[in-house]
Amino acid sequence: QSVLTQPPSASGTPGQGVTISCSGSSSNIGSNYVYWYQQLPGTAPKLLIYRSNQRPSGVPDRFSGSKSGTSASLAISGLRSEDETDYYCAAWDDSLSSWLFGGGTKLTVL
Amino acid sequence: EVQLVESGGNLVQPGGSLRLSCAASGFTFSSFEMNWVRQAPGKGLEWISYISGSGSTIYYADSVKGRFTISRDNAKNSLYLQMNSLRAEDTAVYYCAAHSSGLKFAYWGQGTLVTVSS
């Protein structure tokens, strides 16, 4: 069981927006940046959001991140069929001296 | 272009040992913090170990502490993971992943499969 809690699934229709949550605690999300990754089937994860709300070059502005207290969110607007895949949040935990990943959210584009 | 290539994955019996390697190219390896992250079949990502650029700072997940050892050779642009006392639950694809300043786990290898089974 992951210390960072994500919903196992999320869905939306093409063109719509969807938000994926990531809940943690004061020792991880509450005191550190959150990172988001997209993992297509059979491939390595790709960094989508860093420092809670920053996009690496090349990541479309349809993807955005936010953080409030001990929770974070990944928002995807203008859903496309190619967005249908797995998404993970991650944060450093000061108490555990460990990186934590959320359990992952499988996004379905209906 | 940043490239990370893992190798060393194999089928090993419970209690056995294996050494994974990650060859880096396209960047100044010694300047990058490195990690090992694994993914069991059909499961999520699990961070297992971190090493600083100089090798002076190392962290492990509790699940592998005392059994796995991370190391690096900056002269050879290589990262290693020595895995001992392997268990069935260590079966996973193992990725090496690099931090690039504020961009954590910015670069990933393609992964190498470790299967622990008798």
Side-chain angles (χ1 to χ4, degrees):
Chain A
Q1 190 171 356
S2 302
V3 179
L4 299 185
T5 302
Q6 296 181 236
S9 63
S11 63
T13 55
Q16 263 192 339
V18 68
T19 299
I20 297 172
S21 62
C22 176
S23 177
S25 68
S26 58
S27 61
N28 42 69
I29 293 178
S31 51
N32 293 295
Y33 292 121
V34 178
Y35 301 80
W36 289 92
Y37 303 86
Q38 178 191 62
Q39 186 179 32
L40 298 171
T43 70
K46 169 190 171 184
L47 178 63
L48 273 185
I49 298 291
Y50 68 100
R51 289 181 176 172
S52 302
N53 59 12
Q54 302 298 304
R55 277 187 310 277
S57 61
V59 173
D61 60 7
R62 300 187 298 108
F63 295 90
S64 63
S66 64
K67 189 185 94 165
S68 178
T70 59
S71 293
S73 295
L74 172 70
I76 310 173
S77 63
L79 275 174
R80 300 181 176 183
S81 58
E82 57 260 38
D83 298 332
E84 182 168 291
T85 191
D86 297 324
Y87 295 85
Y88 296 89
C89 60
W92 175 257
D93 191 291
D94 293 330
S95 297
L96 299 174
S97 293
S98 298
W99 279 98
L100 302 175
F101 282 94
T105 298
K106 182 175 184 59
L107 175 63
T108 300
V109 181
L110 303 169
Chain B
E1 179 193 3
V2 172
Q3 193 168 15
L4 298 171
V5 179
E6 301 94 337
S7 61
N10 211 332
L11 170 64
V12 61
Q13 292 189 338
S17 298
L18 209 55
R19 188 195 197 205
L20 305 184
S21 299
C22 171
S25 61
F27 63 102
T28 305
F29 181 67
S30 60
S31 299
F32 282 55
E33 303 160 287
M34 298 296 297
N35 301 265
W36 287 100
V37 178
R38 69 184 179 185
Q39 187 169 35
K43 302 298 184 181
L45 302 171
E46 180 189 14
W47 169 85
I48 57 173
S49 189
Y50 158 95
I51 186 168
S52 62
S54 66
S56 60
T57 301
I58 287 174
Y59 299 110
Y60 296 101
D62 286 345
S63 58
V64 305
K65 200 171 294 182
R67 300 188 300 124
F68 290 11
T69 302
I70 191 172
S71 63
R72 64 190 298 160
D73 186 334
N74 288 340
K76 294 183 177 180
N77 290 341
S78 292
L79 175 73
Y80 306 101
L81 185 67
Q82 177 66 41
M83 304 186 296
N84 299 329
S85 304
L86 283 162
R87 308 165 179 166
E89 54 264 36
D90 295 319
T91 294
V93 172
Y94 285 72
Y95 296 100
C96 62
H99 292 334
S100 175
S101 187
L103 282 69
K104 305 304 182 185
F105 305 101
Y107 305 106
W108 297 71
Q110 85 289 349
T112 187
L113 177 62
V114 173
T115 303
V116 184
S117 175
S118 54

